[in-house]
Amino acid sequence: EVQLVQSGAEVRKPGQSLKISCKGSGYRFSNYWIGWVRQVPGKGPEWVGIVYPGDSETRYNPPFQGHVTISADKSTATAYLQWSSLKASDSAMYFCARVKDDGDCFGSWGPGTLVTVSS
Amino acid sequence: DIQVTQSPSTLSASVGDRVTITCRASQSIGDWLAWYQQRPGKAPKLLIHQASRLEGGVPSRFSGSGSGTEFTLTISSLQPDDFATYYCQQYNSLRYTFGQGTKVEIK
């Protein structure tokens, strides 16, 4: 069974850095793209970016490019989403999700990590 | 970038009703469209992929249709467990866009 376990809720001040994680199990981690999705409470999901753990290739949604960094460590089967300088507008729930075996939509999701940025 | 527009934003219905949600893409996406169900505080759950392919374990009352730019999600007979928010998502060349969502409420 595919499982994605995400790190716990985080509270930071504007300007601080943060790295959240998503650990995969139950499948060959290196072989499947893992995406990150942001959702502000009461709003629809937004795709942030995606990483292929096998070779660390990444692709970003343009509005997020340059503000976040997505990475993966296949030795620990963990994907990461990080910020070097958070803004209040980064406050949201962040989900990781794995693409399906037979298509590129997201068939398996983590439970989400709530990020709160407040002074 | 490809935009997707979902309608309606809210839908009030009763148990047993037939419900249809529409998603329109800003350009042709073939059949690269998925539908998700999301309950409060939970991650989205994949219902339909490639426009009409039912995900394993999803009840057969859910169906999807369409191609190109016009797509629909139909729930043939609404059940109590179906009151939730539904999102369409286009996925093309590992780039993704979600619709704004349709909240299905109890009438």
Side-chain angles (χ1 to χ4, degrees):
Chain A
E1 180 195 3
V2 174
Q3 283 201 316
L4 299 173
V5 177
Q6 296 189 234
S7 50
E10 302 277 4
V11 180
R12 293 287 190 275
K13 295 183 183 334
Q16 290 185 329
S17 63
L18 176 63
K19 191 173 188 177
I20 61 175
S21 65
C22 169
K23 184 174 177 61
S25 63
Y27 71 99
R28 196 174 187 94
F29 183 78
S30 296
N31 290 10
Y32 292 86
W33 291 87
I34 286 190
W36 287 94
V37 174
R38 180 176 85 173
Q39 189 169 31
V40 174
K43 302 293 186 182
E46 298 173 90
W47 172 62
V48 175
I50 197 165
V51 60
Y52 188 73
D55 60 6
S56 293
E57 180 182 351
T58 54
R59 302 183 188 186
Y60 292 93
N61 190 357
F64 295 93
Q65 181 111 36
H67 183 56
V68 300
T69 301
I70 292 171
S71 60
D73 181 345
K74 56 186 178 183
S75 70
T76 60
T78 304
Y80 298 97
L81 174 64
Q82 67 181 83
W83 298 259
S84 59
S85 181
L86 285 159
K87 305 175 185 177
S89 57
D90 293 320
S91 296
M93 182 71 83
Y94 290 85
F95 297 100
C96 63
R98 200 208 82 172
V99 301
K100 283 178 57 61
D101 289 326
D102 57 348
D104 290 339
C105 62
F106 296 133
S108 302
W109 292 69
T113 295
L114 182 63
V115 173
T116 303
V117 184
S118 174
S119 55
Chain B
D1 285 356
I2 300 173
Q3 306 301 316
V4 288
T5 303
Q6 204 174 322
S7 62
S9 56
T10 306
L11 189 159
S12 296
S14 302
V15 172
D17 283 353
R18 182 182 181 87
V19 164
T20 298
I21 300 168
T22 298
C23 186
R24 180 177 291 114
S26 60
Q27 64 189 72
S28 178
I29 56 172
D31 60 359
W32 300 119
L33 188 105
W35 291 96
Y36 298 85
Q37 177 193 67
Q38 189 177 31
R39 295 194 175 89
K42 300 294 186 182
K45 172 188 172 184
L46 180 65
L47 299 176
I48 301 240
H49 63 104
Q50 216 168 332
S52 61
R53 296 178 64 181
L54 196 66
E55 181 70 349
V58 174
S60 59
R61 63 181 178 272
F62 292 92
S63 64
S65 65
S67 66
T69 61
E70 296 277 341
F71 302 86
T72 59
L73 171 71
T74 300
I75 309 173
S76 61
S77 178
L78 200 64
Q79 298 301 301
D81 199 39
D82 302 337
F83 292 97
T85 301
Y86 294 84
Y87 295 97
C88 61
Q89 177 206 45
Q90 71 82 22
Y91 55 104
N92 186 32
S93 300
L94 292 170
R95 303 189 71 83
Y96 304 83
T97 313
F98 290 87
Q100 302 92 327
T102 297
K103 185 175 182 180
V104 178
E105 299 180 326
I106 301 172
K107 183 186 282 186

